[in-house]
Amino acid sequence: MASPRATAGKIATRGQRNMKRRLWHFHGGLRLPGHKAESMQEPVHTASIPPQLIVPLQQHIGEPAEPEVEVGQRVLKGQRLAYATEYVSVPVHAPTSGTIRAIEDHPIPHPSGLLAPCIVIDSDGEDEWVELTPPPDYAGLEPSALRNVIREAGIVGMGGAGFPAFIKLNAGPGNIIDTLILNGAECEPYITCDALLMQEQPRRIIDGLLIMRHAVQARHCVIALEKNQPRAYESLREALSDEEKTFIELVQVPTIYPTGGEKQLIKVLTGKEVPSHGLPLDIHMVCHNVGTAAAVADAIHHGKPLISRYVTVTGEAIGQPSNLDVLVGTPFSALLEQCGWRDDRDHELIMGGPLMGFNVATPDVPVIKTTNCILSWPRAAEQHIPMPCIRCGECARVCPAQLLPQQLYWYARAKNFDRVQDFNLFDCIECGCCAYVCPSHIPLVQYYRFAKTEIWAQEREKRKADLARERHEFRLERLESKKREDEERKQRKKEMLKKNQGDKNDSDDNKKATIEAAKARSRARRAEPAAADDSAAEASASNSDKEES
């Protein structure tokens, strides 16, 4: 006979299957050609270990890690190479065993194209693991302890932004998380790494979701993916147990770009909107990528840090578009060669998708924790020269954040950074919908990124100036306090000297009085015999007179 709990689980599951979740729509968006089938013809392959790996010290939003290894030192796979120095930071680990060749600046995948500090490892081909120590049963750990394990594993958001995962799993005191969402809505064209992960490793994702649920104490969980991935949906559905289906909901969402945006996905699933300048926590929700969940499962169940990820390598100049399981630090060139890249001047390399990705200057840059796609993209046959804005309003029509891109453009172009923030610049997710539909070919997103960068730079300078002013004011206050203390000390010394002088005068007067009293007593004592002699003489004289008479 089935237990009451199992029966209830089956009833809840049947009810859930029969009940279709209502979905909402966000404003704007685009329906774009997917170009996903090209890279999904084969299962995920493990990329070969390159002779040299380049591991940047900063692969996430926040502060870079600090190296704790030296040149010439041999390291093992999974060994920590650098530790987090600030709260918004995570450690970096060795992707394979080998010897530290250098700690130096190296080109990294970044829109700026600048160099950044990296640890260069000559791999020894042995791929020897450091001793792994997975934590005890996570259900017995406090959420804070669980978050610390996730942080030490170097896990960041793998959907593109790269925010440290342990911070997003910290709801804060008094906050109740109603819904934990796993984002598998891979809405940008060409990218299929998350789809293959859901299709081939559904249990890893679910295990990671359960761990995350314990960390935030969520009441309900949702795994969301787009309707154009039926095989991934079936894999996840089959991997869920009957009991898990009572609190984990699997939802297919429309294939509209950018449904995969955090705020847009929350709107589609719940009808709720994250407040301007706010976070999903403000409406009692947390959203993570499916890749992040898989990394969490590896860290908690096996003690493995985040040192590899799935990467889509695709595009017109790629002979065999594929998805590869890649070690962090692998140069793009090694993956491109493995996938039959045709290097020519007619194509450029993009990290990410065609709308939100950015050009990389050289194929020698390394894969980092947020590298989801390497795209070979055809160069424009002719360079589109931006024309004046014709105020057609198409940009506002497709903006998923319901902003006014035209106004943002005008103020960003004029460098009026105070005014541009009045139009909620920082609510822009840089999805590129506005630039995609602009008939004047204005690179709108570039203007928004420029404005954000300048505002952040001004804020940093303001913080530095405020800190310098605070230090100056503190120094003046300290000098003034010292001056007051010196004056008070001098005043106390004067009063003490004055008091001592008064005490001395009183002492001198007392001494004089004592001396005078002593002298008086001495005179009195000397005067007593003379008076006695005079009295005797008077008495003798008196007796003589009496005899004569």
Side-chain angles (χ1 to χ4, degrees):
M1 182 176 178
S3 66
R5 181 178 179 183
T7 304
K10 291 180 180 179
I11 293 172
T13 303
R14 287 197 297 269
Q16 193 176 38
R17 287 173 180 170
N18 294 332
M19 180 182 65
K20 185 176 178 62
R21 168 182 275 268
R22 177 189 174 186
L23 298 178
W24 282 259
H25 298 281
F26 59 87
H27 180 270
L30 297 170
R31 292 187 181 274
L32 302 171
H35 295 288
K36 295 180 181 286
E38 296 91 330
S39 58
M40 297 186 70
Q41 300 300 317
E42 297 183 359
V44 175
H45 300 292
T46 300
S48 57
I49 302 174
Q52 193 173 87
L53 294 113
I54 303 150
V55 184
L57 294 175
Q58 184 173 16
Q59 305 179 44
H60 53 271
I61 292 176
E63 297 300 318
E66 186 71 21
E68 57 180 320
V69 292
E70 299 177 351
V71 175
Q73 178 180 341
R74 185 173 187 268
V75 295
L76 300 178
K77 184 174 184 176
Q79 179 179 333
R80 194 172 72 176
L81 301 177
Y83 62 93
T85 58
E86 303 291 341
Y87 178 69
V88 186
S89 182
V90 294
V92 173
H93 301 80
T96 190
S97 57
T99 304
I100 304 298
R101 180 182 184 89
I103 302 175
E104 60 187 10
D105 288 347
H106 194 278
I108 63 169
H110 192 271
S112 66
L114 299 177
L115 307 181
C118 299
I119 296 176
V120 182
I121 302 174
D122 287 335
S123 57
D124 57 17
E126 297 179 10
D127 207 32
E128 182 183 355
W129 275 96
V130 71
E131 183 180 356
L132 299 177
T133 55
D137 181 23
Y138 74 88
L141 291 177
E142 290 291 327
S144 59
L146 188 57
R147 289 192 293 269
N148 286 334
V149 175
I150 293 171
R151 182 187 192 186
E152 285 303 311
I155 299 174
V156 302
M158 298 174 69
F163 198 75
F166 79 96
I167 296 179
K168 289 183 71 173
L169 290 173
N170 186 1
N175 285 344
I176 298 174
I177 300 302
D178 180 71
T179 306
L180 171 60
I181 299 171
L182 277 195
N183 187 350
E186 207 165 31
C187 57
E188 195 163 3
Y190 290 95
I191 307 174
T192 57
C193 57
D194 285 348
L196 265 294
L197 179 65
M198 291 184 288
Q199 188 172 305
E200 297 186 0
Q201 301 285 336
R203 194 62 235 177
R204 279 177 66 202
I205 294 171
I206 295 168
D207 288 343
L209 175 61
L210 297 176
I211 296 167
M212 289 177 165
R213 183 190 184 218
H214 179 68
V216 298
Q217 300 290 292
R219 298 173 178 172
H220 183 62
C221 300
V222 176
I223 304 176
L225 69 164
E226 291 184 301
K227 292 181 178 179
N228 62 354
Q229 298 299 341
R231 293 180 63 186
Y233 176 83
E234 287 301 319
S235 294
L236 287 167
R237 187 181 63 81
E238 292 174 3
L240 285 169
S241 69
D242 287 342
E243 183 179 356
E244 289 167 346
K245 289 176 182 177
T246 63
F247 59 88
I248 298 177
E249 189 177 358
L250 193 58
V251 180
Q252 291 180 291
V253 297
T255 306
I256 301 174
Y257 178 79
T259 303
E262 185 177 67
K263 294 182 178 181
Q264 286 68 41
L265 183 61
I266 290 174
K267 176 64 182 293
V268 169
L269 292 173
T270 68
K272 298 180 181 180
E273 294 192 2
V274 178
S276 178
H277 304 291
L279 298 170
L281 285 174
D282 298 330
I283 54 175
H284 310 294
M285 296 184 189
V286 173
C287 187
H288 276 279
N289 179 261
V290 290
T292 309
V296 167
D298 291 342
I300 301 303
H301 290 318
H302 307 291
K304 293 181 179 180
L306 176 54
I307 55 174
S308 67
R309 65 158 299 144
Y310 283 10
V311 178
T312 303
V313 183
T314 187
E316 293 186 6
I318 303 297
Q320 297 92 36
S322 308
N323 280 277
L324 304 174
D325 189 358
V326 182
L327 293 177
V328 169
T330 301
F332 281 18
S333 56
L335 303 180
L336 292 166
E337 181 181 353
Q338 188 170 338
C339 295
W341 178 46
R342 186 180 69 255
D343 185 8
D344 58 48
R345 296 180 178 273
D346 295 332
H347 292 79
E348 57 189 357
L349 291 178
I350 295 175
M351 182 176 121
L355 280 88
M356 297 188 73
F358 55 86
N359 290 49
V360 293
T362 169
D364 295 328
V365 298
V367 168
I368 59 176
K369 297 176 182 179
T370 56
T371 304
N372 57 358
C373 180
I374 302 173
L375 175 63
S376 174
W377 188 249
R379 298 182 189 274
E382 58 182 32
Q383 189 69 30
H384 290 295
I385 300 175
M387 302 295 289
C389 174
I390 62 173
R391 297 177 175 82
C392 62
E394 284 297 298
C395 54
R397 183 183 64 81
V398 299
C399 178
Q402 300 189 61
L403 303 177
L404 296 175
Q406 177 184 324
Q407 298 300 112
L408 293 173
Y409 161 65
W410 287 120
Y411 290 116
R413 181 181 177 183
K415 300 182 180 180
N416 190 340
F417 300 127
D418 291 331
R419 195 76 176 94
V420 75
Q421 293 183 77
D422 293 339
F423 289 87
N424 299 320
L425 170 68
F426 287 95
D427 282 347
C428 171
I429 62 173
E430 301 178 18
C431 64
C433 288
C434 53
Y436 186 87
V437 300
C438 180
S440 296
H441 304 293
I442 300 173
L444 296 168
V445 177
Q446 294 184 25
Y447 281 99
Y448 308 153
R449 287 175 178 167
F450 163 73
K452 289 179 181 180
T453 302
E454 290 298 310
I455 292 170
W456 286 328
Q458 289 180 2
E459 289 180 351
R460 284 195 298 269
E461 291 301 318
K462 183 177 181 299
R463 284 196 295 269
K464 289 180 181 178
D466 291 342
L467 180 60
R469 187 184 68 254
E470 290 174 2
R471 287 177 175 174
H472 179 65
E473 292 174 352
F474 178 76
R475 180 175 179 274
L476 292 179
E477 183 179 351
R478 180 169 54 82
L479 293 176
E480 186 65 26
S481 177
K482 186 176 182 300
K483 184 178 179 181
R484 287 196 302 268
E485 290 175 358
D486 291 343
E487 291 294 333
E488 291 174 358
R489 188 167 55 253
K490 289 179 181 179
Q491 185 64 28
R492 287 196 301 269
K493 188 174 181 180
K494 287 180 180 180
E495 292 175 356
M496 187 175 293
L497 290 173
K498 184 177 180 181
K499 180 180 179 182
N500 290 341
Q501 186 64 34
D503 293 342
K504 183 179 179 182
N505 292 337
D506 292 342
S507 179
D508 291 344
D509 292 341
N510 291 336
K511 286 181 180 179
K512 289 179 181 179
T514 302
I515 291 171
E516 291 298 328
K519 288 181 178 179
R521 287 195 300 272
S522 178
R523 285 195 297 268
R525 283 196 298 271
R526 287 196 300 270
E528 286 177 359
D533 291 344
D534 291 343
S535 298
E538 289 178 358
S540 177
S542 176
N543 291 334
S544 297
D545 291 340
K546 286 180 180 180
E547 290 177 356
E548 291 178 355
S549 59

